[in-house]
Amino acid sequence: MLPHLLHQSSRKSITDKSESHSHGIDSLNCTLASLLETSAMGLGSTRLGALTALIPTLPMFFSTWETYHTHTLFLGYFNGPTEGLIIAALIMILSGYYGPTLWTSPLASLFGHEQFLGKTSFLDLWGPILLLGLCLAHIPDCVNNVYQARRGRSQPLIPTLLEWAPIFIFTGSLCAWLGSPYSHLLKDNHLSLLCFTLSPAFGRMTTKIILAHLTRQDFPMWTVMLAPLITGSVLVNSPYIGLPGLSATTELWFLRGYFAFATIVYARWAVYVCNSICNYLGINCLTIPEDKWLALKSGAPPNQRPEATRLASGSVRMKGGANGKFA
């Protein structure tokens, strides 16, 4: 959070590799850090708890979509990495000092004016605050920045709105699954497992966008991680069309299978991407190659170092599957 406080455009100067790493970690963290806030507020495995835990995925997606088209990470006057984290930290501090009952207590007991506030508590306003903050403060700013960037290149805005399809599928499937009266996930206290499952699923979605941005590829409209999410939402709501629904045990095992699938697929893909980038640049992920270390030790100028020779000769190629894409 500190770089954002020091300078809102600090991330503009990061390298391509660190940009993909930074956004990848941020994407994985969206459903995990917010789970701590859900716990601190005592929301539990409820629909409001699920909204609190999962809503950070939306601003993250739209900021990544914005970066893809503008080639700049804009941070507005009110944004998640700065103000959002400050608010979350303050909520946790207040919960630690006063206890989570602070959020369920009537506002009138804290501020008076019971004739106006009645029995309204902070939790009664929490959902609207989250949604209004997203829809009024964040998304319009992202759309405006993309519009300005594309207008400067004489490109239309409307075709880019189709690229919202992945997040619409992601959000719609979650709402259909968790909002279904036939679902047992929230009733049986499996919100944590859901968040751990969606962490790599959403993480791959947004990291693919960053990789497409860095390698100048088409916007990724699909990831295989969405398939189990869509399947789960359909199976849970199958009683609406006269088919038997999922029992609580079956639904839990389906979610566990989704978690294993998402974790394995993401881990394999992350290793593949890291190795491809490192091979292209002639570097190692966590260590300094021996030939580069010796060149640095000997004081060789940059244009005579091993990685410069490999890149100049074209002997190193980025491996990215079919058409050079990271699938």
Side-chain angles (χ1 to χ4, degrees), residues 57-309:
T57 58
L58 294 173
M60 183 67 193
F61 177 88
F62 285 104
S63 289
T64 309
W65 168 78
E66 174 191 48
T67 303
Y68 175 85
H69 288 287
T70 63
H71 311 300
T72 304
L73 178 60
F74 292 96
L75 291 175
Y77 293 105
F78 186 90
N79 61 81
T82 307
E83 287 77 18
L85 288 179
I86 291 175
I87 292 173
L90 289 175
I91 286 176
M92 294 180 191
I93 292 172
L94 291 173
S95 292
Y97 188 81
Y98 294 104
T101 55
L102 171 68
W103 314 112
T104 57
S105 301
L107 292 175
S109 64
L110 301 174
F111 306 109
H113 305 289
E114 185 174 358
Q115 65 274 25
F116 300 109
L117 296 175
K119 299 298 182 181
T120 303
S121 68
F122 181 81
L123 287 189
D124 295 326
L125 306 176
W126 181 237
I129 289 173
L130 291 176
L131 294 174
L132 289 175
L134 172 70
C135 297
L136 298 182
H138 188 86
I139 294 180
D141 197 41
C142 293
V143 174
N144 180 63
N145 289 331
V146 172
Y147 169 74
Q148 297 295 339
R150 289 184 66 85
R151 187 178 68 171
R153 300 192 295 263
S154 299
Q155 296 174 327
L157 172 68
I158 298 301
T160 67
L161 302 183
L162 297 176
E163 296 164 353
W164 294 3
I167 196 63
F168 280 174
I169 294 173
F170 180 85
T171 306
S173 298
L174 274 175
C175 291
W177 192 339
L178 299 181
S180 172
Y182 304 105
S183 174
H184 305 84
L185 291 185
L186 296 182
K187 300 173 186 176
D188 294 346
N189 197 28
H190 297 311
L191 178 60
S192 295
L193 178 58
L194 178 66
C195 289
F196 277 98
T197 302
L198 295 178
S199 174
F202 177 76
R204 188 177 186 189
M205 183 194 305
T206 49
T207 307
K208 284 183 68 174
I209 300 174
I210 288 299
L211 287 172
H213 160 239
L214 297 177
T215 55
R216 301 297 188 267
Q217 297 176 7
D218 294 337
F219 190 92
M221 299 292 291
W222 173 256
T223 171
V224 70
M225 298 288 202
L226 291 175
L229 184 60
I230 298 172
T231 303
S233 65
V234 171
L235 291 177
V236 164
N237 288 285
S238 57
Y240 281 117
I241 57 175
L243 298 176
L246 297 179
S247 65
T249 302
T250 303
E251 187 178 8
L252 175 58
W253 276 105
F254 182 90
L255 183 60
R256 288 171 176 169
Y258 186 11
F259 171 72
F261 171 78
T263 303
I264 293 171
V265 170
Y266 185 90
R268 177 186 176 279
W269 178 74
V271 170
Y272 171 74
V273 170
C274 287
N275 287 339
S276 297
I277 294 176
C278 290
N279 289 337
Y280 178 77
L281 297 176
I283 61 176
N284 293 342
C285 185
L286 300 175
T287 61
I288 300 175
E290 184 178 4
D291 55 353
K292 184 176 180 181
W293 170 250
L294 293 175
L296 289 170
K297 198 172 182 181
S298 65
N303 61 347
Q304 295 181 12
R305 292 174 188 169
E307 68 275 12
T309 304

Side-chain angles (χ1 to χ4, degrees), residues 11 14 17-27 60 73:
R11 286 194 178 180
I14 62 179
K17 186 172 182 294
S18 61
E19 180 178 351
S20 61
H21 178 270
S22 173
H23 283 270
I25 296 300
D26 290 345
S27 299
M60 183 67 193
L73 178 60

